[in-house]
Amino acid sequence: MKKLLFTLAVSVFFLSSCEGPQGPPGMDGINILGQTFERTVNFQFNNQNGLQEVLIEIPNSIEVFESDAILVYRLEGQLPDNVDLWSLIPQNFFLGNGDIIQYVYNHSFFDVQIQIDGNFDLFTLGPAFTQNQTFRFVVVPSEFATTSGVDINDYNAVMKALDLD
């Protein structure tokens, strides 16, 4: 047993003290970090489409590419110690009497449009849903995938390409 422990200790010593020539330096990594901004807004009723709407411009300091995704969160409230509670939209609210509203959004490189849609006359929607609403916008960097040659309209071809037969 002593011989085994001695051999093991000597092996560990020699293996941990070996050094060879340093390899070539690697390429610098890319630090891709999404950007976030917040806005508190008041919705306005649009007579043409019957929706409550607001248009938020993306700050010039944030660069958005065509392939990037933007996620929008609505501030729901706060826990003790000022911990914010956020909900990803689209988000539904069931108001009673069968009335339903939904926060939805769309975006471009330059702005984000948030709308409140519903199954009743939204002109009558109260300020609890339309005034002083705070949203968080998260720009998720991404790039378009290169052409894989896979017909993404063919379920079987996609499954085969992903090796998920």
Side-chain angles (χ1 to χ4, degrees), residues 21-94:
Q22 186 173 355
M27 295 175 49
D28 289 340
I30 298 173
N31 185 11
I32 299 176
L33 188 62
Q35 295 186 312
T36 302
F37 66 98
E38 295 176 11
R39 294 289 184 272
T40 299
V41 298
N42 295 320
F43 286 82
Q44 298 294 319
F45 183 73
N46 182 331
N47 285 318
Q48 293 179 336
N49 61 19
L51 302 176
Q52 295 279 351
E53 297 179 330
V54 65
L55 187 67
I56 296 100
E57 290 187 19
I58 297 171
N60 291 333
S61 61
I62 296 178
E63 187 173 19
V64 179
F65 294 97
E66 184 179 359
S67 59
D68 292 348
I70 297 180
L71 303 175
V72 180
Y73 295 83
R74 181 176 172 268
L75 182 63
E76 288 292 315
Q78 287 188 328
L79 294 174
D81 298 327
N82 294 321
V83 175
D84 292 337
L85 295 172
W86 298 95
S87 293
L88 181 64
I89 63 174
Q91 183 181 24
N92 295 321
F93 288 90
F94 302 93

Side-chain angles (χ1 to χ4, degrees), residues 63-136:
E63 187 173 19
V64 179
F65 294 97
E66 184 179 359
S67 59
D68 292 348
I70 297 180
L71 303 175
V72 180
Y73 295 83
R74 181 176 172 268
L75 182 63
E76 288 292 315
Q78 287 188 328
L79 294 174
D81 298 327
N82 294 321
V83 175
D84 292 337
L85 295 172
W86 298 95
S87 293
L88 181 64
I89 63 174
Q91 183 181 24
N92 295 321
F93 288 90
F94 302 93
L95 306 178
N97 299 327
D99 291 344
I100 302 170
I101 63 167
Q102 182 180 47
Y103 287 91
V104 295
Y105 72 99
N106 57 57
H107 70 86
S108 69
F109 307 125
F110 313 107
D111 53 38
V112 179
Q113 181 181 39
I114 303 175
Q115 298 175 320
I116 303 174
D117 195 357
N119 64 348
F120 61 98
D121 182 5
L122 294 175
F123 182 76
T124 64
L125 185 61
F129 292 101
T130 61
Q131 304 300 297
N132 296 314
Q133 300 297 303
T134 301
F135 293 92
R136 176 175 285 174

